[in-house]
Amino acid sequence: MSPSGAPRRVRAYGGHFLLLAVLTLITALLITALPRVVDRLTGQGLREHVAAQPVARRDLTYSTEQTILPRTASRIAATRAAELDAVEARMPEAVRQVIGERWYAAETGFTRLTGPTLSADKGLIDVSLRTVTGLPEAATLVEGRWPAGGAGAGVEMALADTVAGPLGIRAGSTFALSILDERGKPVRSIRVALVGVFRPTDPHGGIWDALPSMLRLAAPTGDGKPFLSVAYTSEAGFDAAATSGWPVSFSWRYRVAPDRFNPGQLSAAVAGLAAMERTRPAGLTLTQGVDIPLRRFAESLAAARTLLAVIAAGLLATLAGLILLAARLAARRRQNEYALLRARGGATTAVLGRGLAESLLVLPLAAGVGWLLGGLLPGGGAELRWVLLATLLATLVPPLAALTAGRGGGGRSDLGGARSPAVRLTVEATVLVVAALGAFLVRRRGLTLDGTVDPLLVSVPVLLAVAAALVALRAYPWPLRLLSRAAARARGSVAFLGTARAGRAATTGPLVVVVLSVATAAFCGVVATGIENGRDRAAAAAVPGDVRVDGDRFAPDTTDALAALPGVRAVTPLLVEAGQRPYADEAGRFAGVGDTRVLLVDGARFAEVARRAGVPVTVPDPLRATGDGTTPLPALVSPVLADELTEAGLADPAGRRPAWLDVQGNRFPVRTAATVDEFALVDRSVTRFVVLPWPALPAGALHPLAPTGFLLAGDRVDPAAVARVAAEGQERYQRTGVVAGGERPTQPTVTTRSAVRAELGGSGVNGLLVFGFTIGAAGGAVLGLLALAFAVLAGARGRGQVLSRLRTMGLSRRQWRGLLLVELTPLVLVSVLTGAVVGALLPVLLTPVLGLPAFTGGMAVRARFEPGLVAGVLGLAVVALAFAVAVETLNNRRMRLGEVLRLGEES
């Protein structure tokens, strides 16, 4: 019993210790590598997410209101420029760490520019003088020089070539810059000289993102309004304008650098941005949108980490079960050795010491190799303490298994399942109660968003899988025994012997591990499919066609113009009116109902567009109704709006007291035809909305309805061509005379469903999800097959003895294969199908607390077992059965069946 014999015993049973070592290595590798890969993918996703944001959401801008400074002020621009460092120093540390580029700007208000080289056909021109840190280094002079002086000789300025060219002016031109009164008369003027024309080195550089842009003329905002331009001037030139009575303002702009973000500082950065809002310096206005994408990423990251924790818990629990099964198999192989040791006076401590000495030679080394391999992966976040804990537990399993190896050595082990000892019943009942209680508590508590992993949420899926396996173990022998009785009355012994042995099989441990592994793989497949379907539905809700156009009012013939584009197969007009308040009567009496979004659609054409685009959108019958607006229009109403209308006594279903809505000057009566929680084309954040069928107004109607958008279906539709036709239709409407003057409409926006879907699928944590689902599905399937091998080997001794006896009685090889298939098929089907059912039900149970809508743009995720997943499970069952038969065949070829009969040798 000396420990010096441990190396010999390890060599003698090298196969068993090799299996234990490989499982321990994989466990240590998973514990080490998973946090590192997650950290790397999270950091990569965070940086990509920040970089994909518009520049307006990546800038922190402190600015002042326009003010007129005293004429005695001096060094104005230089003094305020020195505050660039001071303002940054007041930011929280977590925010300062992610600041990249920064700029200081001082600018005057827009005032009228006039001069001999500005002809009348150029229109009115208003110019703002701006001095910006680092601009000469970011541009190249095309003509002239950079501005310098600004006192008695006037103010010098430089323009971008994209501004000077359209205006037809060159360096050397002189102008007057004037402040106008309400009647357009100059009240104060200064002389300005254009001394240089520049071209940006990188037009996409951050220095040019300040608004208004210095690189282009801003179009007039309405009839009789001027073009707006920003010119660069020196600090001296700005001081000269400021002390001449020009209104001036100052801004300090800081841009966050995506490459400076790391997941560890995400929460601190969000908290720091919130603190900046509360502690901004007096006299300054803070404009920032950085916290919005960071908060959204944090929500997605919390949900992704929870998913990964659930998957990792399933894999680690499976590995733990495999290590226990491997240790039990090795201990049973050496059962006679331990019995002899105890017969010679060996105490319990001797058996434990013998097993511990063998484990210490192999398993800590294997765990160390796994930890080193995992450490080679880039990333951080792995903690050595968890590897040490796993190593300790794995090292203790073999000696504990050796201690229990001698129990139950006599009798028929295949009848062990016939008894139900009180201890076993108590343990199984406890597991069931704990699993049910854990599921109840986790649904009530919900998802934690503090960045930590919820132990309860992680353990509940494992407990439920174990509980389901125990229930399956209790249930599946009963139908097999009924089949066995039926087979006993039939001819032949194969079916009877196979079902009888399958009904008495005592493989509790292996079956639990198989169910757990398959449940992990099925869980990954169901959740991944649910997220993909949710993203598809979110894209279809935003664009229930192939292309969507939004803008101001369009000319009626724009519909035909869009339909004539190549590839377009169907078009429907849309009309959206936001901020409308329902009236109590046609006279416009306020009904006490809040602002409502009104959507008008042509039901038949809308359904045709959705059908041709392949989008599963249901168009209710009320939207297919036709009417001229003189009788109440049937309306689909949101629940919030329906409650408010009911309280006001309006829009009853019969239309006896309709609500009235003002749509482009037309006042329509409406009645509630149905209440809907959501509708395509209506953002989910809108709680008050009403959807109406497009009314057929008379040809001579005073206010004909003009669409504000379109929905198109087609193949390979060019978005640029759609935008061009839509812009032309918008301009035609402006020229019809219906709207005279006013502000120019904004350019139409064109959105494709494929672009929306790609944006949802390319979210910051998508790489993390793909990684988690891949290792969960692949790892669960592989580990499940390995657990199934243990289940087969657990009963290999009994099957070998039966086979040897039956072979001596004349059983053919073909009958033996049939017997093996009949005996193993129930075990494989029960384990695989139970695991698949558990994996499919887990998302249904946990969806409310997993935060899955964070991956689908807010769309609810519906966990369903898709046909493809069903086929995958059936395929896994077939592969598992073939694998089990192959393992048994190889094991029987290795065994000498005659010796099994004589000695009862265990494989």
Side-chain angles (χ1 to χ4, degrees):
M1 293 186 292
S2 173
S4 61
R8 289 196 310 272
R9 295 192 297 272
V10 170
R11 285 196 303 269
Y13 300 99
H16 296 287
F17 283 102
L18 178 61
L19 180 58
L20 284 169
V22 171
L23 292 174
T24 304
L25 185 149
I26 294 174
T27 303
L29 177 62
L30 182 63
I31 295 174
T32 306
L34 186 61
R36 298 180 72 88
V37 175
V38 168
D39 181 75
R40 179 178 63 84
L41 293 177
T42 301
Q44 177 182 337
L46 175 58
R47 290 184 285 272
E48 291 176 353
H49 182 71
V50 174
Q53 300 302 314
V55 293
R57 285 193 174 180
R58 288 189 280 139
D59 285 348
L60 307 170
T61 305
Y62 286 97
S63 59
T64 66
E65 297 291 338
Q66 282 193 353
T67 184
I68 297 178
L69 300 177
R71 295 180 178 272
T72 57
S74 62
R75 293 182 53 80
I76 303 169
T79 301
R80 304 306 292 267
E83 298 181 20
L84 190 64
D85 293 329
V87 172
E88 183 178 358
R90 286 194 291 266
M91 296 180 183
E93 176 65 22
V95 178
R96 290 201 306 271
Q97 290 178 355
V98 298
I99 296 297
E101 298 178 285
R102 57 183 191 165
W103 303 275
Y104 156 75
E107 56 190 324
T108 67
F110 283 98
T111 50
R112 187 61 43 83
L113 183 72
T114 56
T117 56
L118 287 175
S119 55
D121 62 325
K122 299 292 193 305
L124 303 176
I125 308 296
D126 279 5
V127 171
S128 170
L129 299 176
R130 179 185 295 170
T131 178
V132 185
T133 55
L135 188 142
E137 292 77 17
T140 303
L141 283 172
V142 176
E143 186 180 2
R145 59 178 176 82
W146 291 109
V155 177
E156 296 179 350
M157 69 177 185
L159 288 172
D161 57 349
T162 52
V163 175
L167 292 179
I169 56 179
R170 305 187 60 180
S173 303
T174 58
F175 308 90
L177 195 61
S178 306
I179 298 177
L180 307 181
D181 60 12
E182 296 178 353
R183 296 173 297 176
K185 301 297 183 181
V187 296
R188 188 177 294 108
S189 298
I190 57 174
R191 178 178 175 273
V192 294
L194 180 63
V195 299
V197 177
F198 63 87
R199 178 179 297 137
T201 304
D202 178 13
H204 302 290
I207 194 172
W208 310 109
D209 291 329
L211 297 177
S213 174
M214 301 180 72
L215 303 183
R216 62 179 179 271
L217 279 171
T221 58
D223 294 344
K225 300 293 184 179
F227 289 90
L228 302 179
S229 175
V230 179
Y232 172 72
T233 188
S234 63
E235 291 184 351
F238 175 83
D239 290 348
T243 55
S244 298
W246 257 247
V248 295
S249 61
F250 306 90
S251 63
W252 299 264
R253 185 161 58 99
Y254 306 86
R255 175 161 296 177
V256 297
D259 57 345
R260 296 194 177 188
F261 276 92
N262 63 73
Q265 65 183 165
L266 181 59
S267 300
V270 172
L273 291 169
M276 288 174 60
E277 295 279 2
R278 299 189 302 267
T279 61
R280 58 183 176 84
L284 297 182
T285 299
L286 174 62
T287 304
Q288 65 90 14
V290 183
D291 62 330
I292 297 175
L294 292 184
R295 291 181 188 276
R296 291 177 179 172
F297 185 87
E299 294 175 0
S300 301
L301 180 60
R305 283 178 170 171
T306 301
L307 270 178
L308 282 172
V310 171
I311 296 170
L315 293 177
L316 290 174
T318 302
L319 285 168
L322 289 174
I323 292 174
L324 180 59
L325 292 178
R328 288 176 57 187
L329 184 63
R332 283 200 303 269
R333 179 70 175 83
R334 303 169 62 184
Q335 182 175 352
N336 294 336
E337 174 188 343
Y338 296 133
L340 182 60
L341 179 64
R342 297 295 296 269
R344 291 180 176 178
T348 300
T349 55
V351 177
L352 288 175
R354 187 184 186 91
L356 187 60
E358 297 166 358
S359 294
L360 290 174
L361 288 177
V362 180
L363 301 188
L365 179 61
V369 173
W371 176 69
L372 291 175
L373 291 176
L376 297 177
L377 297 174
E383 297 185 19
L384 182 59
R385 57 173 178 166
W386 299 115
V387 178
L388 295 176
L389 178 60
T391 305
L392 175 62
L393 295 177
T395 304
L396 292 177
V397 168
L400 293 176
L403 188 63
T404 59
R407 298 181 181 178
R412 292 180 57 183
S413 60
D414 61 333
L415 294 178
R419 297 189 304 269
S420 298
V423 174
R424 180 179 174 183
L425 285 175
T426 302
V427 171
E428 292 177 355
T430 302
V431 171
L432 293 175
V433 171
V434 171
L437 182 60
F440 172 76
L441 292 177
V442 78
R443 283 180 64 90
R444 291 198 61 180
R445 188 170 65 177
L447 177 65
T448 58
L449 297 176
D450 57 357
T452 60
V453 176
D454 186 355
L456 178 61
L457 179 58
V458 169
S459 61
V460 163
V462 175
L463 290 173
L464 290 175
V466 173
L470 294 177
V471 172
L473 273 171
R474 286 290 183 180
Y476 98 96
W478 297 101
L480 286 177
R481 290 170 183 172
L482 294 178
L483 288 177
S484 179
R485 292 175 184 175
R489 293 189 293 269
R491 296 181 61 184
S493 61
V494 172
F496 167 69
L497 291 175
T499 53
R501 285 189 51 80
R504 294 195 301 266
T507 55
T508 304
L511 183 61
V512 170
V513 178
V514 174
V515 170
L516 184 56
S517 60
V518 175
T520 302
F523 173 81
C524 294
V526 171
V527 174
T529 303
I531 291 176
E532 290 298 311
N533 291 339
R535 289 171 174 172
D536 291 339
R537 288 187 290 110
V543 185
D546 292 311
V547 182
R548 175 178 174 178
V549 180
D550 295 289
D552 291 334
R553 301 181 186 185
F554 297 90
D557 60 353
T558 308
T559 304
D560 297 332
L562 290 171
L565 288 174
V568 176
R569 294 182 294 177
V571 181
T572 182
L574 308 172
L575 195 157
V576 180
E577 289 280 318
Q580 297 297 319
R581 289 196 169 186
Y583 299 128
D585 51 36
E586 190 174 5
R589 182 168 56 87
F590 181 54
V593 180
D595 291 347
T596 303
R597 182 180 294 267
V598 181
L599 170 64
L600 271 67
V601 298
D602 186 327
R605 299 178 72 174
F606 177 68
E608 177 66 12
V609 168
R611 184 185 67 81
R612 288 183 174 270
V615 178
V617 174
T618 301
V619 180
D621 291 336
L623 294 184
R624 299 177 185 267
T626 57
D628 57 3
T630 57
T631 58
L633 297 174
L636 304 181
V637 183
S638 66
V640 173
L641 180 61
D643 292 341
E644 294 183 0
L645 290 174
T646 301
E647 291 179 3
L650 300 174
D652 60 292
R656 288 186 291 269
R657 190 182 178 190
W660 295 79
L661 289 170
D662 195 341
V663 181
Q664 294 184 353
N666 300 281
R667 195 155 289 174
F668 297 125
V670 299
R671 61 181 179 86
T672 302
T675 301
V676 293
D677 294 327
E678 59 184 20
F679 189 80
L681 301 169
V682 179
D683 191 85
R684 284 178 296 278
S685 61
V686 178
T687 58
R688 294 188 186 90
F689 65 85
V690 57
V691 186
L692 301 173
W694 195 290
L697 298 182
L702 182 61
H703 302 291
L705 296 178
T708 62
F710 301 93
L711 200 62
L712 289 71
D715 297 325
R716 299 183 180 90
V717 180
D718 184 8
V722 173
R724 174 180 53 80
V725 172
E728 293 171 355
Q730 198 166 250
E731 292 176 0
R732 285 196 302 275
Y733 180 83
Q734 294 292 315
R735 293 195 301 265
T736 57
V738 177
V739 177
E743 295 187 354
R744 289 177 177 266
T746 58
Q747 289 297 311
T749 59
V750 178
T751 307
T752 63
R753 180 161 50 93
S754 59
V756 175
R757 180 61 179 84
E759 182 180 358
L760 290 172
S763 61
V765 298
N766 193 62
L768 203 59
L769 293 178
V770 172
F771 167 75
F773 292 145
T774 300
I775 66 167
V782 172
L783 295 179
L785 292 177
L786 186 57
L788 191 60
F790 280 111
V792 173
L793 294 176
R797 174 189 175 184
R799 279 191 297 270
Q801 292 174 341
V802 171
L803 173 61
S804 298
R805 295 189 181 101
L806 294 177
R807 290 290 297 274
T808 60
M809 298 169 64
L811 185 73
S812 66
R813 289 185 177 273
R814 181 178 179 182
Q815 289 176 318
W816 168 75
R817 293 192 186 97
L819 175 62
L820 183 62
L821 202 60
V822 172
E823 182 176 347
L824 294 181
T825 297
L827 170 67
V828 172
L829 291 181
V830 167
S831 58
V832 173
L833 295 182
T834 302
V837 171
V838 173
L841 294 180
L842 279 177
V844 178
L845 178 66
L846 300 179
T847 289
V849 298
L850 288 177
L852 299 182
F855 311 129
T856 59
M859 180 66 69
V861 175
R862 301 169 185 170
R864 295 181 301 179
F865 219 56
E866 299 291 337
L869 293 176
V870 174
V873 170
L874 294 179
L876 179 61
V878 172
V879 172
L881 182 59
F883 181 74
V885 173
V887 170
E888 180 68 15
T889 302
L890 291 175
N891 186 69
N892 287 337
R893 288 180 179 178
R894 183 182 64 84
M895 288 192 308
R896 299 176 181 177
L897 297 182
E899 293 184 4
V900 173
L901 282 176
R902 292 191 301 269
L903 303 176
E905 181 181 358
E906 183 180 354
S907 61

